[in-house]
Amino acid sequence: MGRQHGEYQNQQRGNSAAATTIYIKKFIWNRPITHYQTLFSQLLFSLPLLVICSLVLEWGAPVNLDAMVVSALAYQTLVVAFFSYILWFWMIHRFAVSRLAAFTFLAPLFGVILSGLVLHETLPLLLWVGLALVASGIYLVNRPATN
């Protein structure tokens, strides 16, 4: 059940992201709502649900708040959740989503590069080749049409 459950969760996450993007572009694009308000409104509704799910699904699980756990949580909160989503919502509010979608392919590459820099891991040549290929693909998708 584990793998199928994870695939189901990924599908639901994709559906939620799509619904959010459609809502932003369809209903609030012409209103004076900032990308900050978009992010914090999502947090306002998701935080209570996540706390309830955590309490129900992980009740009694041991909690060990050592320095590694706290620093990992701070990284996930500030870099992953705050910075990346603020940037993403800023771009959604300003640009066509069809042109932005290709940029989502950069997320795993930058995640590996950032973890390599933070954890001092070796970043192999093929990673940089992959980054160049993904960047080339994004350019091809977003380049101006030629007549």
Side-chain angles (χ1 to χ4, degrees):
M1 179 177 144
R3 180 176 177 171
Q4 291 171 341
H5 184 68
E7 290 174 1
Y8 173 75
Q9 287 178 328
N10 279 333
Q11 182 63 45
Q12 291 309 105
R13 190 264 179 243
N15 292 342
S16 298
T20 299
T21 302
I22 291 168
Y23 180 79
I24 291 169
K25 294 310 253 185
K26 180 93 174 148
F27 297 109
I28 66 171
W29 68 272
N30 61 350
R31 295 193 177 138
I33 296 175
T34 69
H35 51 286
Y36 294 108
Q37 291 168 314
T38 303
L39 175 64
F40 292 127
S41 66
Q42 284 198 337
L43 292 176
L44 177 70
F45 292 106
S46 66
L47 189 61
L49 179 64
L50 292 172
V51 168
I52 290 169
C53 287
S54 176
L55 291 173
V56 169
L57 298 173
E58 298 182 10
W59 186 259
V63 177
N64 182 15
L65 292 177
D66 60 7
M68 179 66 88
V69 171
V70 171
S71 62
L73 182 62
Y75 172 78
Q76 285 288 322
T77 302
L78 297 174
V79 176
V80 176
F82 182 76
F83 177 72
S84 66
Y85 282 122
I86 283 291
L87 182 61
W88 180 248
F89 287 135
W90 177 82
M91 291 190 301
I92 286 177
H93 277 268
R94 284 167 178 72
F95 304 108
V97 175
S98 59
R99 298 188 73 96
L100 293 175
F103 286 94
T104 60
F105 293 111
L106 286 173
L109 292 169
F110 281 121
V112 172
I113 290 169
L114 191 55
S115 68
L117 295 174
V118 170
L119 300 173
H120 306 290
E121 294 179 352
T122 304
L123 298 174
L125 177 63
L126 286 178
L127 176 73
W128 298 106
V129 170
L131 178 61
L133 290 172
V134 171
S136 299
I138 291 172
Y139 170 75
L140 291 174
V141 168
N142 289 304
R143 71 179 175 191
T146 57
N147 294 334

